Amino acid sequence: MNLETISLDQLRVFARAVELGSFSAAGRELGRAQSAVSYAITTLESQLGLILFDRSGHTPKLTDHGAAVLADAKAILARTEGLHARAAGLRDGLEPELSICIDVMYPVPRLAQVLAEFRQRFPTVTMRVGVEVLGAVAEQVIQGRAKFGVIGSMPFRPDGLMGDPLPPIRLIPVAAPHHSLAQMPRAERLSALPDEVQLVLTDRSRLTEGQDYAVYSAKTWRLSDLGTKLEFLRAGLGWGNMPEHLVAEDIASGRLLHLCGITRSVTEWLPMHLVRKPSVALGPAGRWLWDAMLTP
């Protein structure tokens, strides 16, 4: 058995014969005589030491061994097609990999929708998506670890970055129904804020080191993960501002309460921006993704 002599052509002929149901149909599609298709498959069987088709009936039927080999053959052919597509993309300047960084406030369903189309258009490009908060997104872009990013939880665009505005995210103050703010009259909530624990997002980047945004309480718990903040809010460990799209179901189900009495003192709309360094050139995939994220 000499596996090294197995060719991609043999595997392709074998796969097409299975998919089309006969050697003659495969021959017609491939522009070959039926005898040539039969010879290619017989040679493959000899090299593998396996019977791939049962030829005792009117038409060849795939054997159990043939079914097992078919899965491997299709995988090899798919990988080969992927290699050709990647090489063609690289010749045309297509990036082999694209790294972006997204602010934790950015709606993940929107990102997933855009990336689903991206995958269809650029199947050979490996995507790397980081999720950060505050200045950590801009830091990733400035240091070149991400081609571009979405900043939102910091209220300014750092020097050295260019960008375009994205739809803003509405932030609303929320707390668990059993939290003291939720149980007191609306008119008293604003004056009570300084004495209540506020759950605040924070990060370790130097761009926002020592800076607070939309902090109204003298008592704060600092968290670097939005998912953890959400669970702490549900548990009644404090109050805090959250993206409306992320807590809409919690409010509808009663797990969280919108603290309506303090909305006028808390920033309701968070600007979002798509940013990159002017010196960084985007390839075809990067340019498409940039434009797609700007499209409403």
Side-chain angles (χ1 to χ4, degrees), residues 65-283:
H65 287 160
V69 171
L70 178 63
D72 290 329
K74 286 184 175 181
I76 292 170
L77 292 171
R79 293 294 297 271
T80 303
E81 290 174 0
L83 174 61
H84 285 298
R86 185 180 297 274
L90 292 173
R91 289 195 301 270
D92 295 337
L94 184 64
E95 310 93 312
E97 179 179 295
L98 184 61
S99 297
I100 63 174
C101 192
I102 304 298
D103 190 279
V104 69
M105 299 290 188
Y106 188 78
V108 173
R110 166 61 178 157
L111 178 62
Q113 181 182 16
V114 173
L115 290 182
E117 186 175 352
F118 177 90
R119 187 177 63 177
Q120 293 294 323
R121 290 175 176 266
F122 306 99
T124 66
V125 178
T126 299
M127 274 300 308
R128 299 193 183 279
V129 182
V131 179
E132 296 288 353
V133 65
L134 294 168
V137 176
E139 198 169 72
Q140 292 280 320
V141 177
I142 291 171
Q143 294 177 358
R145 293 196 293 271
K147 281 286 188 179
F148 59 83
V150 175
I151 59 174
S153 51
M154 59 187 300
F156 65 93
R157 189 172 69 198
D159 294 337
L161 295 180
M162 61 172 287
D164 293 300
L166 293 169
I169 301 299
R170 188 183 184 208
L171 297 181
I172 59 175
V174 295
H178 57 276
H179 190 276
S180 57
L181 282 174
Q183 295 184 343
M184 67 178 58
R186 292 185 180 184
E188 299 178 11
R189 290 172 180 169
L190 183 58
S191 61
L193 287 184
D195 296 322
E196 298 290 341
V197 172
Q198 182 178 355
L199 303 180
V200 179
L201 284 179
T202 186
D203 75 323
R204 295 185 294 272
S205 76
R206 294 183 179 180
L207 290 175
T208 53
E209 187 176 16
Q211 301 182 50
D212 287 330
Y213 306 107
V215 175
Y216 300 90
S217 175
K219 302 175 181 179
T220 59
W221 282 20
R222 307 284 171 158
L223 308 168
S224 61
D225 176 69
L226 194 62
T228 301
K229 180 178 179 179
L230 179 58
E231 289 300 328
F232 281 16
L233 287 167
R234 290 168 175 167
L237 298 179
W239 75 275
N241 295 313
M242 290 291 288
E244 186 177 31
H245 66 267
L246 194 62
V247 294
E249 291 187 6
D250 283 272
I251 293 174
S253 66
R255 296 181 68 178
L256 291 175
L257 177 71
H258 182 185
L259 299 174
C260 300
I262 60 174
T263 52
R264 285 176 295 180
S265 68
V266 178
T267 302
E268 288 195 13
W269 293 98
L270 181 69
M272 306 291 285
H273 286 84
L274 196 59
V275 298
R276 63 185 172 93
K277 294 171 64 176
S279 59
V280 172
L282 298 177

